Amino acid sequence: MEIKYNRSLSGVPENQQQQPLRRITKTYIENRDPVRKNLTMLYNEDTQQINKSMLSSNNDLRRKMMNQERVKRSLNQDVLEDKENVPQHKGLTTKLYTLPQELQNITLKPKFDHTIQENKNLQKFYTEEIFFYLKEQEKKSTPQEFLKNHSIPSNLRAKMIDWMVEVLCSYKCTDQTFFVAVRTLDFYFAKSEKQLEVSDLHLCGVTSMFIAAKYEEIHPMKLSVVYEKIAHKKLTTDQIKKKESDILQTIGFDLVGGTLFDMYNLILTNCFIESNLLEKNYKYLKKLCLYLSKMVLFDYEICGKYNYTLLAAALIFVAFKIVEQLDTTFNADSQIKDVAQIIQVDQDQLVEVAAKILNLAKNFEKHFPNLENLKKFNGFQLEDDEQ
């Protein structure tokens, strides 16, 4: 906009010669006013910087959008490749998901920070607390005299235990799964108010293994495998599921109590037995304890009368006596005194139970003829360990 300046308005007489009109423009004002000129320059510089920053942010935004499009195309290609290998069905739709931008920069560590030795030391640090907690819970978590209200003979139960050894070892289940399965079976017998018959034993044993595998194994046995391969289609899937619900409700879903396997391992760790033996002899001792602990569960007269802590200490004493014959520097009697004092059990009662376990080990085939799965799947010799 131009502003015309009339000289007559400035007090100059009209009869004077008219001068040409002067155009007062913005540039003229800026040249005459240095302050305004400086402000204008600053304004222009700020405007340029703002434009540059907006352009940069637009480029970043455009780059992010291009990355998202690239990820989306990659996902679409993966889905198309997977779709080619999957049988097509009518009505099958595939929904695509894209990761948020903030999740694309996450990196996973390939392994834990702690080494194996540090984890072992951490386990030893809490061994005493774990052991005595489980020992306190034994009165309500250890099944005792569990067959007295049922018409199931002890020799048939021993046959079931032998079959459970075969099944769980054949399916590569852990030793702990076996002990949880036996404890669940015996605990159900102890808590059940209904009198169980011989015909109930097979279903109870199959279901106890199914429950223990679910609780302990990373990849538990499927119901279809239990139905076809273990029960050999003599039990229906509905029977197994109904008995599973019955067992869990009867025992109050109590699957966390200590087993005989837990107790003897905690005793060996808590009493520092490993430091008193050579590595070869300590491995042999562990194998002996595993064999004896499974063997003890066959005999109702022993496992149905004493708690797991006393049984664990007694079978460790028997294993000590055997290892003492290999290592003359190892004194079994002095070691078992220390063990009895640390775990707070009566030493005389411990020796009495150990004598029963030793007698069972010497006469196992006589007491339980034709039950060979324990020896087949858990039997060993010292030469095996050396190899």
Side-chain angles (χ1 to χ4, degrees):
M1 177 179 178
E2 295 182 357
I3 301 175
K4 294 183 179 181
Y5 181 74
N6 194 339
R7 293 181 63 86
S8 62
L9 298 178
S10 61
V12 181
E14 293 182 359
N15 56 3
Q16 219 173 10
Q17 185 178 359
Q18 296 288 335
Q19 298 292 334
L21 295 177
R22 180 181 298 173
R23 295 183 177 182
I24 302 176
T25 61
K26 181 179 178 181
T27 305
Y28 174 77
I29 295 175
E30 290 174 354
N31 291 333
R32 296 292 300 271
D33 191 350
V35 176
R36 186 182 294 272
K37 180 178 180 180
N38 293 336
L39 289 176
T40 303
M41 292 176 61
L42 291 175
Y43 171 79
N44 293 334
E45 291 177 358
D46 292 341
T47 303
Q48 292 177 0
Q49 292 180 359
I50 291 173
N51 292 335
K52 288 182 180 180
S53 62
M54 290 180 66
L55 181 62
S56 176
S57 62
N58 289 334
N59 291 334
D60 293 340
L61 182 61
R62 191 179 300 107
R63 193 178 299 110
K64 291 180 180 179
M65 293 177 65
M66 291 176 63
N67 290 335
Q68 290 179 355
E69 289 296 327
R70 196 175 296 114
V71 171
K72 186 175 180 180
R73 286 196 300 271
S74 177
L75 289 174
N76 288 334
Q77 183 64 28
D78 293 340
V79 170
L80 290 175
E81 292 177 357
D82 293 340
K83 247 177 124 180
E84 293 177 357
N85 300 325
V86 176
Q88 300 297 322
H89 300 279
K90 293 182 179 180
L92 181 64
T93 58
T94 304
K95 188 175 181 180
L96 299 179
Y97 295 92
T98 57
L99 289 175
Q101 186 68 27
E102 59 270 13
L103 297 180
Q104 296 179 5
N105 298 325
I106 294 178
T107 57
L108 299 177
K109 294 183 179 180
K111 60 182 180 179
F112 294 103
D113 293 334
H114 297 292
T115 62
I116 297 176
Q117 188 62 36
E118 288 174 343
N119 287 332
K120 286 184 178 180
N121 294 334
L122 188 64
Q123 181 183 6
K124 291 179 181 180
F125 183 76
Y126 292 104
T127 299
E128 183 178 356
E129 287 77 6
I130 296 172
F131 172 77
F132 283 104
Y133 171 77
L134 294 178
K135 188 173 182 292
E136 291 177 358
Q137 301 296 317
E138 277 188 329
K139 292 182 180 179
K140 61 179 182 180
S141 64
T142 302
Q144 293 183 1
E145 298 182 355
F146 40 83
L147 293 180
K148 66 178 182 179
N149 296 327
H150 309 291
S151 58
I152 299 176
S154 59
N155 62 329
L156 289 182
R157 176 193 168 275
K159 189 174 181 179
M160 170 58 66
I161 302 301
D162 188 68
W163 181 61
M164 293 168 74
V165 171
E166 179 185 13
V167 171
L168 295 176
C169 289
S170 298
Y171 282 90
K172 308 298 182 183
C173 294
T174 62
D175 293 318
Q176 177 69 332
T177 302
F178 167 78
F179 286 95
V180 172
V182 175
R183 178 186 176 273
T184 303
L185 178 67
D186 294 341
F187 206 16
Y188 173 65
F189 289 157
K191 294 288 186 179
S192 179
E193 298 179 356
K194 175 186 175 182
Q195 185 177 7
L196 300 174
E197 306 292 336
V198 175
S199 57
D200 299 320
L201 182 60
H202 187 211
L203 178 59
C204 293
V206 169
T207 310
S208 296
M209 288 189 289
F210 185 44
I211 294 172
K214 280 185 177 181
Y215 187 73
E216 288 292 335
E217 297 296 325
I218 298 176
H219 303 289
M221 296 180 292
K222 295 182 179 180
L223 181 59
S224 59
V225 174
V226 176
Y227 166 69
E228 295 178 4
K229 304 296 184 181
I230 298 177
H232 300 290
K233 299 183 180 180
K234 294 181 180 179
L235 302 172
T236 64
T237 56
D238 291 336
Q239 284 179 309
I240 297 172
K241 289 189 289 185
K242 186 176 180 181
K243 179 56 67 174
E244 179 185 15
S245 176
D246 181 28
I247 290 176
L248 291 175
Q249 290 181 9
T250 301
I251 67 176
F253 295 85
D254 185 8
L255 297 172
V256 297
T259 64
L260 187 56
F261 181 79
D262 292 321
M263 301 312 287
Y264 85 74
N265 276 292
L266 288 170
I267 291 173
L268 292 177
T269 305
N270 197 28
C271 297
F272 303 100
I273 304 301
E274 185 177 3
S275 60
N276 299 327
L277 287 170
L278 297 175
E279 182 179 0
K280 178 185 67 174
N281 293 335
Y282 183 73
K283 289 181 179 179
Y284 186 67
L285 174 69
K286 295 270 287 187
K287 288 187 175 182
L288 276 172
C289 290
L290 178 61
Y291 181 85
L292 293 172
S293 60
K294 288 188 175 183
M295 183 193 67
V296 163
L297 295 179
F298 280 72
D299 197 325
Y300 174 69
E301 298 300 327
I302 297 179
C303 68
K305 185 177 180 180
Y306 304 103
N307 58 49
Y308 286 153
T309 301
L310 186 59
L311 289 176
L315 66 90
I316 286 174
F317 186 32
V318 175
F320 280 174
K321 283 294 186 180
I322 298 174
V323 173
E324 187 180 35
Q325 300 175 11
L326 304 174
D327 188 355
T328 56
T329 61
F330 184 77
N331 191 332
D333 293 328
S334 63
Q335 288 291 332
I336 203 62
K337 288 181 181 178
D338 296 338
V339 170
Q341 184 177 4
I342 291 174
I343 67 175
Q344 300 175 9
V345 296
D346 184 67
Q347 185 176 348
D348 295 334
Q349 191 178 16
L350 188 155
V351 174
E352 178 186 352
V353 178
K356 293 182 179 181
I357 295 177
L358 182 60
N359 181 63
L360 175 63
K362 292 180 178 180
N363 303 285
F364 182 80
E365 295 180 356
K366 180 180 178 180
H367 290 299
F368 303 103
N370 302 322
L371 300 185
E372 299 179 352
N373 285 324
L374 177 62
K375 183 178 179 181
K376 178 180 177 181
F377 291 97
N378 289 104
F380 64 95
Q381 296 178 354
L382 182 61
E383 290 78 11
D384 298 335
D385 186 67
E386 290 177 349
Q387 292 176 1

